[in-house]
Amino acid sequence: MAAAGWYHRDISQVVAEGLLAKAGRDGSFLVRDSESVKGAYALCLLFQRHVYTYRILPDDEGLLSVQTIQGIQAKCFRTLPDLIGAYQHPNNGLVTSLLHPVHRARPDEDSDGEDARGWGHTVPCPGAPPSSRTHIPQQLHQRLQEQVHSSPASDFMGFMAEYLTHHVQLDLEALCHGHPQLRHLSTALATACRALHSEIDFTLAGLETLARVFDPPVSPRSPAREQGFLSSDPDLELLLNKISTVNQLLSSLEKKVLKSLQETVTRHNLALPSVAVAPPPAARPLAVQNFEVKVGKSQRAALTVDVELGTVTITKRGSGSPEEVIPQDKILQLIKYQSVQSKVRLMCARDNQKSLSRDFIFPSARKREAFCQLLQLMKIQHSNLDEPELISVYVGTWNMGSTPPPRSLASWLTSRGLGHTQDETTACIPHDIYVIGTQENSLGDREWVEFLCASLKTLMAIDYRVVALQCLWSIKIVVLVKPEHQRRISHVHTSSVKTGIANTLGNKGAVGVSFLFNGTSFGFVNCHLASGSEKTHRRNQNYSDILHSLALGDKRLGGFDLTLRFTHLFWFGDLNYRLDMDMQDILTHIVKKDFQALLAVDQLNLEREKNKVFLQFSEGDISFPPTYRYERGTRDTYVWQKSKPTGVRINVPSWCDRILWKSHPETHVVCNSYGCTDDIVTSDHSPVFATFEVGVTSQFVPKEAPGSSPEALACIEWESIEVILKTTSRSKCYIEFHSYCLEEVQRSGENTFQNCDIPGFLKLGWSSKHLPVLNPILPDLEYLGDQHLLLSIKGVESCESYGECCLAVRSAIGTTAQQFETFLFHRGEETGSVRGWMRVRVPRGRCGTRERLYEWISFEEEDAEPPAEAPVCPKPRPQRLRSRPRSLPEPASGYTNPAYFIFEGVPNAWLPAPGAAPKKQAEGPAGGQQSRSPTGPRVPLPSEEEPWGVRPRCGPPSPSRGHPLSPPTVGHHKRPKSAVLTRDTAGLGDCSLYVATHLSQLDQVSPLCRGDRHEVPLRQTHPALEPPPRPCREAPKPLGKRGALGALELEAQTPPPADLQPARMQ
């Protein structure tokens, strides 16, 4: 073969299926790297509009063979081209012969002449003949010529040009024969760096002389010094040794001088003034804070909060004596009103067992938030808990523009400036964790860390400890924690990914840090993506490369999407997404502070709407001006013209610097501030900050010691699971269950139901008999309420994942099975949906729970309007309800995957018009945090009723099957966002995006035929998927003091299942 165009390296399964679908001919094939076995390959073959995947595995001797079923002799080949050539002949065991290779698509070139993925447009295949790569030196040499005029190092470029012209081909051939040393490159670099030898010798001689002055007996000498000062030996290893010696001398010289001076003092009995290091200053106590509020309609009062003393004092205006002093232990609940953003209700206990409620209206929502934060801090300080349940996390990002920072970073580190900022009464409260990400940082690593620590010590009077520092060229991330939290940090991992030219240069890329804080996993990613308004696709590809290559978190979860490996993942940096609007129009909107019009054309928002990047991530509300591109030295002027060797480049003002996050379902995370500074002007970017209130878990200690009584096991049971995948495969699948609460990975049987009638989609089902019963390592409900399950849908033949998801065990707590539904992800792409029924059963006596510190603050709508459609089931008497944790998504009122509309016959009228953007869902109490997939239990929709069996349930009756379904009303059957929208429909042959086409076909079928075609056969032929009839689901009851899991009761069943009882949430 002239070139291995069919080898596509590490593309994802979704991309591979898309390429084969566009080819459209039986026998079309390609080869990609295996995702499940390192060093293996996946052969993807198209036949009758379905993609079949075969694994190509290497043996101990390096021979390659297609994986076969047990008992069949495998054919072995030395190279991948030999294997492909053999299977191009018929009758070789594949579903069809390999007839039509699908070549890698040529990426679009950007304005700088760099393609989106690498140096060349073809990918060398392992074992391919050298003739297929003769064009590479010419391409590399041409690229070098484009850079010569902009580089002052013309002599160095001459050496590199010689290497690219004559020797790179030799290194390439050696690499293909298994010799990765790149001997010719080493020789070229050593020759080019010859002048550096003399400079290092000169510097090294001076450093050694100074070292001998203070340490005469020992003087480290480099190998070059033994040969003479001005050695001309071009050996590259020798040069590296010299640099290492210089580095060692510089780092140890200060210690040597200090030790020598101390010995001198001791030897001569010199009297020195006392320089004993003073103990580190204690954290500054919080000052008593006062708030002016309105009580009732016109009464004015003052609230005085003393965090250290633990009291809230209410004083009426005009009265010198306190009206009432409320200790913190008497404060039962704090209720924030959503309808009035500045109003709060304080629920207090009295000695006569009755509670008292007081409503206060603050001058602004910011003042109310400051009051609530102080009360939360008061509760934490006086809780007497051994381990924290709530911590504060600061995240900052700044492109420093390759210039030193100013002397003070106070406004950045205290979240003051523009946007959603904290009130001055809480701005200087120290955070538990500080995560600082920078780009184009010209400072040294040690110098930057010391500068940050000194700045925080000046502001907070706390010596923060360094958890991790990770750097990639000028991209840096630093994680600092309070000293008392240092012992709680474990399993620290760091990683970096280059996404510059050919993914080999670190001027662009990402650095990351992950760790465990007690029982909660955190991940932080700081990135610098490709620049330029026209490079949106390149930035998307950078994000995908980082997501795939960043090695963070538990290695056992390496097969899962990076965004699912952590309880909380924060992603920030100079993302470089721009505004798609004319320059003058942008400036006009900025002057008017009309940021919503600009956010509507923000490239990052647009790409997120299309589900191209940052799926299911959240971002705080942006209420600050674009942070790029300012004139250095001021924040009053944007400079949008930038001169480059290729001409003048336009950089419109944009929100390049962003902070996003993604958390596991039913966890607590609240963004308290999101803004930028307005007084740090050394760079053309403004520093950006965000602060978060995050719930954390500790290592659970059961009240009953193991072995003290007969050990009863809790269990997680499944009634059924249904999966819809966006794939053209017909493969049988199984499900893997991962969780920290399980001793080992559990696996289901093969799916018992399969439907691939709709092109581009595969519907799978598992009955309860083929799903494992999971037994957590601890049976306590309080422990299980904090746990999560990671599910991975894998093909039986390829053992590769089609998608992964995360489920909260808390969602399955109830007297009966609870329904779940969520998206499936793989390598940052939405690949389908999963739904089913599960329940958690715990032993008697293990159902006790307690209220979390973050659960005593709730949200409530004031005088909420009754729903338009009254439910069929009787409603309980009106009561004040404790809200769900602020980070929880609200239960969805519709499907999360449009494929459900296809399989179950929902008419096309329910879809948005072509090109119409999906409606933005209402924001939850967290503010700005959107929910696009349900994670908790919810009432099934009418159209869900047939595939899942007939169930009595609350809500309006389903429409008649013999009449067309009426269009949805507001808040009823609203179709949520998904990756597959009408506007995303690709050209003919894109089998993963057939929704619009088939929905329009379904519209032409009568409702009765539609139901007969899709719903009736599924119900009649696969009854095992249907759980038993379920009772009417009542509205949720108010929760007690013990929190979201507190008011749990055990209900007797006839007969009771051993000593296991289902837990019911009141």
Side-chain angles (χ1 to χ4, degrees), residues 397-398 627-628 630 635 657 676-677 680 683-688:
T397 177
W398 183 26
T627 56
Y628 174 80
Y630 283 106
R635 295 295 93 156
D657 312 283
C676 69
T677 65
I680 297 179
S683 171
D684 51 3
H685 291 253
S686 287
V688 173

Side-chain angles (χ1 to χ4, degrees), residues 9 107 114-121 143 501-503:
R9 290 194 302 189
E114 302 169 0
D115 63 70
R117 293 289 295 171
W119 296 90
H121 302 303
R143 294 182 186 279
I501 299 176
N503 285 355

Side-chain angles (χ1 to χ4, degrees), residues 281-303:
R284 296 168 183 161
L286 290 173
V288 177
Q289 302 294 340
N290 296 295
F291 298 88
E292 293 291 330
V293 297
K294 185 169 70 172
V295 182
K297 293 185 177 180
S298 58
Q299 180 68 47
R300 299 283 178 175
L303 294 180

Side-chain angles (χ1 to χ4, degrees), residues 598-609:
L598 297 178
L599 291 171
V601 296
D602 175 72
Q603 290 177 349
L604 178 58
N605 290 341
L606 295 175
E607 296 304 297
R608 290 180 63 198
E609 286 288 339

